[in-house]
Amino acid sequence: DDEKLAKDLRTTYLQLQEQNEGDDLAPGPASEADDAVALNAQILASREEVDLLQAQADLVQQRIMTLNDHIAVKESEIQDREFQWGTAKGEVAFEEGEAMTLEEEISVLRSLALKMRASLLSRSKSLPSDLTSALDKKQRDALGPFQRALDPGVPHGKRLNWVWL
């Protein structure tokens, strides 16, 4: 039964193939005109499709160029921010160094002020040598008017009142 069905299918296939070959060999005049019209329609449709694809490709290319420009701007902004960040880090480091220097000076001056107060409260007429030797030139120059105020030769009204220390 299957063999008979296969044989019938082969026979039908061969008949259809012969008919198609016969149509291709001797087309009628109406068939050629119809084919030409159909080919022209396909050509026009293909041209329109090509034009649409070209327009789409142009839009994609423009979008890519716009995105590349946007990326370049963002990279420039990143470089600017990195430069600003580096500058700020340098400024912070400098300011931290300044703060440490000032803290050291405050500590020294606080110690000197306490020693001066103790010396003045003891009613000594001069500052101890260990106090004056711990000072640098700038500090000794600044201390000059205070030492003169402690001098017994200075009138009492011109002397400094050190109780506020």
Side-chain angles (χ1 to χ4, degrees), residues 75-129:
E75 286 175 344
S76 175
E77 288 176 3
I78 288 171
Q79 289 176 348
D80 186 44
R81 297 301 187 272
E82 286 175 344
F83 175 76
Q84 290 174 358
W85 181 52
T87 301
K89 280 178 62 176
E91 289 174 2
V92 166
F94 174 77
E95 293 300 329
E96 285 176 346
E98 287 291 312
M100 289 177 60
T101 301
L102 290 174
E103 286 176 11
E104 289 174 10
E105 286 182 15
I106 288 171
S107 175
V108 168
L109 292 174
R110 184 175 286 135
S111 172
L112 290 174
L114 290 173
K115 288 179 182 179
M116 285 177 65
R117 183 171 190 253
S119 173
L120 292 172
L121 289 176
S122 70
R123 303 287 182 204
S124 171
K125 297 300 180 191
S126 64
L127 295 175
S129 62

Side-chain angles (χ1 to χ4, degrees), residues 5-58:
L5 185 60
K7 187 177 181 181
D8 289 342
L9 285 174
R10 269 189 236 122
T11 305
T12 306
Y13 174 74
L14 290 173
Q15 286 172 355
L16 288 173
Q17 195 173 13
E18 286 174 10
Q19 282 177 351
N20 284 338
E21 287 176 9
D23 288 343
D24 289 342
L25 294 176
S31 175
E32 285 181 11
D34 290 340
D35 286 346
V37 170
L39 284 175
N40 281 336
Q42 278 184 331
I43 290 171
L44 287 174
S46 296
R47 285 183 183 160
E48 288 176 3
E49 190 175 337
V50 167
D51 290 342
L52 286 174
L53 288 173
Q54 185 61 44
Q56 185 178 8
D58 291 343

Side-chain angles (χ1 to χ4, degrees), residues 105 108-109 112 134-144:
E105 286 182 15
V108 168
L109 292 174
L112 290 174
L135 300 174
D136 62 18
K137 179 171 178 11
K138 184 178 175 183
Q139 292 167 336
R140 282 192 299 270
D141 291 345
L143 189 60

